[in-house]
Amino acid sequence: MRQLCRPFPLPGERLTFGLVDPPSAFPHSTSSTFTCLHRRSSHSEADGDDRLGLQGDAEGECDTDSKGDTPDVPLSTADTDNTPECLNKALEGLPPRYFLICVNYFFYGETLADYFGALVQREEPLQFLARYHRFISFALYLAGFCMFVLSLVKKHYRLQFYMFAWTHVTLLIVVTQSHLVIQNLFEGMIWFIVPISIVICNDIMAYLFGFFFGRTPLIKLSPKKTWEGFIGGFFSTVVFGFILAYLLSQFQYFVCPVGFNSETNSFAIECEPSDIFVMHEYTLPTVVQNTLRWKTVNLYPFQIHSIFLSSFSSLIGPFGGFFASGFKRAFKIKDFASTIPGHGGIMDRFDCQYLMATFTHVYIASFIRGPNPSKLLQQLMMLQPEQQLTIFHTLHSHLRERGLLPPAAAAAQA
């Protein structure tokens, strides 16, 4: 039976630390912190299967309070590379990269079949892969799952399942949302450039307003963040997004979706701009008319959408940064890396971008994207000839009943 922590072991007992570093690695900890890990030697072997985790991972709570501020993990990355050789061998069989390949195959295969159906239909091997894409993806995942189960090693189960969970969380956060970024790109470069730019603008302007006018703390996770910076960044970002949307909406290169032209066998970024990228005249509210002496204003509808995008990046986007700050505090690290001196690694610059990319994708699917005739036509071309004829006759009858088909044309078709 496991016992509670005592300052010192009883006679006949020995200490077992497993993967925990010696006390010298934790200069702020007291000796009682490490005696919490001991257990009776007579029970160490009998409890090996039940622990399902790191060797020496006691399930009892520690009753001894340390006087110092004991960190949850080593304070520097240099202290984390102390894994025993036996554990390194146990982890060699884990397939995290296999799962990465599997997830990327699934997402980007979906994109290929969705946007480049005409290209896929030209090659017979691609037709097979497109037809059974999801089954192949699931089979690959099952293979990785079985490999993981076969790689489980006694006394290291818990650590291996930790890594299994971390792998899936990382795939969800990084790969899934990266796929959404690619989907936004295919809708037009403007859906990629504007969201990224307004997040960068909000980050910079919130810092500047906070630096010069900040007095009121915003959140405990980030002591340097202030309400003045938060509010100033919001209004600055809305104005910036509104202007940037006006500038980019004038060019087809930014507003046209990326498509594959089967006739020229190349990618095309030319199109007739959709309504949201065509200048419209709007009547201003009476209050604004009396104030500004303007009755109407000419705007691109996308400029109105940019206000919602900018509002999200200013009000909700920063919570991605707060989340990253809490994550770093949980693991007692200052920055994710040292790529940018004084500002951490690359991930420190992108902690808000993932939320923004997901919101942009959801916003497009909910309020912007409608039925796409070109994609529908590609799907029709993939059907068998008899299925295409059935759809043709059904559509012909439907148009004739609604009076949309001219009589002459109807007679000729009959």
Side-chain angles (χ1 to χ4, degrees):
M1 177 178 183
R2 298 191 185 99
Q3 60 187 29
L4 296 176
C5 301
R6 296 184 295 275
F8 302 98
L10 294 176
E13 293 181 342
R14 60 184 176 86
L15 296 178
T16 305
F17 291 95
L19 298 181
V20 180
D21 290 334
S24 59
F26 302 90
H28 300 291
S29 304
T30 60
S31 60
S32 61
T33 302
F34 298 94
T35 57
C36 294
L37 296 173
H38 81 277
R39 62 177 183 267
R40 294 180 184 273
S41 58
S42 59
H43 296 285
S44 60
E45 294 182 0
D47 294 341
D49 293 337
D50 296 334
R51 297 185 187 280
L52 298 181
L54 304 181
Q55 188 176 358
D57 185 13
E59 295 179 358
E61 294 183 356
C62 183
D63 292 341
T64 304
D65 295 329
S66 60
K67 297 180 180 178
D69 183 15
T70 305
D72 296 334
V73 296
L75 298 178
S76 63
T77 55
D79 295 329
T80 61
D81 192 15
N82 296 317
T83 306
E85 184 63 27
C86 62
L87 187 58
N88 285 328
K89 293 181 179 180
L91 300 179
E92 287 178 356
L94 289 177
R97 295 181 181 178
Y98 191 93
F99 286 116
L100 177 64
I101 295 173
C102 174
V103 174
N104 276 286
Y105 175 82
F106 170 73
F107 280 125
Y108 294 106
E110 290 281 313
T111 301
L112 181 65
D114 191 20
Y115 288 93
F116 307 108
L119 177 63
V120 171
Q121 291 303 310
R122 292 186 175 184
E123 303 293 335
E124 187 172 349
L126 292 180
Q127 294 179 17
F128 175 82
L129 294 176
R131 182 177 180 83
Y132 301 102
H133 172 70
R134 296 192 177 184
F135 179 82
I136 295 173
S137 301
F138 184 66
L140 290 175
Y141 180 83
L142 287 180
F145 179 79
C146 294
M147 291 169 59
F148 167 76
V149 174
L150 293 175
S151 70
L152 293 174
V153 178
K154 185 178 180 181
K155 296 186 179 181
H156 301 302
Y157 295 146
R158 182 177 297 175
L159 178 60
Q160 290 181 289
F161 275 99
Y162 282 161
M163 296 187 65
F164 184 80
W166 273 108
T167 299
H168 282 70
V169 171
T170 303
L171 293 175
L172 176 65
I173 295 177
V174 178
V175 180
T176 303
Q177 299 194 61
S178 298
H179 170 69
L180 299 183
V181 173
I182 300 299
Q183 295 276 34
N184 296 341
L185 270 171
F186 280 115
E187 296 295 330
M189 287 289 292
I190 197 169
W191 293 106
F192 174 76
I193 296 176
V194 170
I196 284 183
S197 301
I198 57 181
V199 170
I200 296 174
C201 173
N202 180 258
D203 195 19
I204 295 173
M205 299 308 297
Y207 171 78
L208 293 178
F209 275 91
F211 181 81
F212 290 105
F213 309 105
R215 296 293 184 273
T216 310
L218 176 63
I219 187 171
K220 292 182 179 180
L221 283 174
S222 299
K224 295 183 180 180
K225 300 293 176 61
T226 63
W227 276 104
E228 291 79 5
F230 185 77
I231 297 173
F234 169 77
F235 287 104
S236 301
T237 304
V238 171
V239 173
F240 172 80
F242 191 81
I243 297 174
L244 182 63
Y246 171 78
L247 296 175
L248 297 185
S249 296
Q250 304 177 43
F251 302 95
Q252 284 192 5
Y253 178 80
F254 296 110
V255 303
C256 290
V258 178
F260 181 78
N261 191 333
S262 58
E263 297 180 357
T264 61
N265 198 26
S266 62
F267 296 99
I269 314 181
E270 297 180 357
C271 67
E272 185 69 25
S274 62
D275 290 340
I276 65 171
F277 301 113
V278 177
M279 190 73 72
H280 286 68
E281 184 179 62
Y282 294 93
T283 302
L284 296 175
T286 305
V287 177
V288 179
Q289 292 182 20
N290 296 334
T291 304
L292 301 178
R293 305 298 180 183
W294 293 347
K295 293 185 178 181
T296 61
V297 62
N298 292 327
L299 295 174
Y300 291 103
F302 182 74
Q303 291 180 265
I304 300 176
H305 293 295
S306 72
I307 296 177
F308 294 98
L309 296 176
S310 300
S311 298
F312 178 88
S313 69
S314 302
L315 300 178
I316 307 299
F319 281 85
F322 301 152
F323 176 86
S325 297
F327 184 88
K328 289 185 288 186
R329 286 179 178 273
F331 290 92
K332 300 296 188 296
I333 57 177
K334 186 179 185 299
D335 299 309
F336 286 118
S338 58
T339 310
I340 308 176
H343 292 276
I346 297 297
M347 286 302 299
D348 278 8
R349 301 299 93 201
F350 284 86
D351 46 16
C352 302
Q353 294 287 0
Y354 289 116
L355 279 179
M356 191 67 213
T358 304
F359 175 75
T360 303
H361 179 79
V362 173
Y363 189 88
I364 293 173
S366 302
F367 305 107
I368 303 299
R369 183 188 298 143
N372 192 328
S374 61
K375 290 184 181 180
L376 182 60
L377 183 60
Q378 290 179 3
Q379 294 175 352
L380 290 175
M381 297 302 294
M382 295 173 62
L383 300 177
Q384 297 296 326
E386 57 273 11
Q387 295 175 323
Q388 294 176 354
L389 285 174
T390 301
I391 294 176
F392 170 76
H393 291 301
T394 303
L395 181 61
H396 176 267
S397 300
H398 176 71
L399 294 176
R400 186 171 53 185
E401 290 175 359
R402 297 182 58 185
L404 298 178
L405 196 64
Q413 293 293 337

